[in-house]
Amino acid sequence: AAGMNLDDRALSRLARRGSGSATRSVFGGLVLWNAGHDDASSYAEPVACEMDLAMVVVVLSQRYKPISSTRAMRATMATSPLFPAWVEASRGDLQVALDAVRTGDLERLGEVVEGNALGMHATMIATRPGIVYWLPQTVAALHAIRAMREEGLPVWATIDAGPNVKVLTEGARAEEVAAALRDRLPGTTVSVRYPGGGVRIEEGPCP
């Protein structure tokens, strides 16, 4: 729209100025956001993945969050005694996750994804004052996911800065997982999401 002719890396850097998530959304599939040390080195890039993956999204609340993700992370960085340890653990978790993707090990990927997400929330809870996004239904969903895993379903939880839960699973079994979650968590909105493509420019008049 601005007449700029940017390659994907430059577009990712530009998107980052508006939102970290947008940095990754330039690409499709699995994406790695390089933290970098300045504007030029902080960008996202696609990660090769042959695994059949899906996310089952469990919406427990559509209310606005009591504290924004940006404010929450700034407070966590400034006051949570657990923050440095989580950052250090995340470096190792990332390498484990990348290796799991490379080798096609869904169980290993799921374990590190779930563990890192729970660590992030533990870090926020330890912020002063504590930041607790979870609802009683969030805890119920975590228990349901663990029970389903013990019964043989390939399911692992991840949670952004909010109360809603996302479930990493095999694409071929995603609908089965969604049905099981609807049975265990009545009253919730459950949907299946598969890896999509990146951003694209479509020629034509503006609406």
Side-chain angles (χ1 to χ4, degrees), residues 91-163:
R91 293 191 181 99
D93 286 347
L94 175 59
Q95 296 310 310
V96 171
L98 290 173
D99 186 64
V101 170
R102 181 181 61 81
T103 59
D105 191 337
L106 177 58
E107 181 176 2
R108 192 175 182 213
L109 177 62
E111 288 174 351
V112 73
V113 164
E114 184 172 283
N116 187 270
L118 294 177
M120 182 188 75
H121 280 270
T123 301
M124 290 191 294
I125 291 170
T127 300
R128 300 173 184 177
I131 300 170
V132 182
Y133 283 117
W134 290 4
L135 300 171
Q137 298 95 315
T138 307
V139 178
L142 290 173
H143 283 295
I145 292 162
R146 179 163 297 183
M148 290 163 58
R149 189 161 65 233
E150 291 173 351
E151 294 169 4
L153 281 174
V155 288
W156 294 270
T158 183
I159 312 174
D160 297 333

Side-chain angles (χ1 to χ4, degrees), residues 30-99:
L30 293 187
V31 180
L32 169 67
W33 179 11
N34 297 292
H37 53 80
D38 57 18
D39 176 63
S41 58
S42 182
Y43 58 86
E45 57 186 339
V47 174
C49 178
E50 300 298 326
M51 302 171 71
D52 177 28
L53 301 177
M55 297 292 285
V56 181
V57 181
V58 183
V59 178
L60 305 168
S61 173
Q62 297 191 30
R63 294 182 179 180
Y64 285 108
K65 294 186 289 191
I67 178 172
S68 72
S69 300
T70 300
R71 284 181 53 209
M73 189 49 64
R74 286 175 178 167
T76 300
M77 291 171 62
T79 69
S80 175
L82 303 184
F83 182 74
W86 179 70
V87 170
E88 184 62 30
S90 293
R91 293 191 181 99
D93 286 347
L94 175 59
Q95 296 310 310
V96 171
L98 290 173
D99 186 64

Side-chain angles (χ1 to χ4, degrees), residues 163-201:
N164 300 317
V165 179
K166 293 84 179 176
V167 184
L168 175 66
T169 189
E170 294 177 5
R173 303 190 69 178
E175 293 296 343
E176 177 187 358
V177 168
L181 286 165
R182 292 186 188 102
D183 288 341
R184 291 175 181 268
L185 303 169
T188 62
T189 300
V190 179
S191 60
V192 177
R193 296 289 182 264
Y194 299 97
V199 297
R200 64 185 186 276
I201 297 175

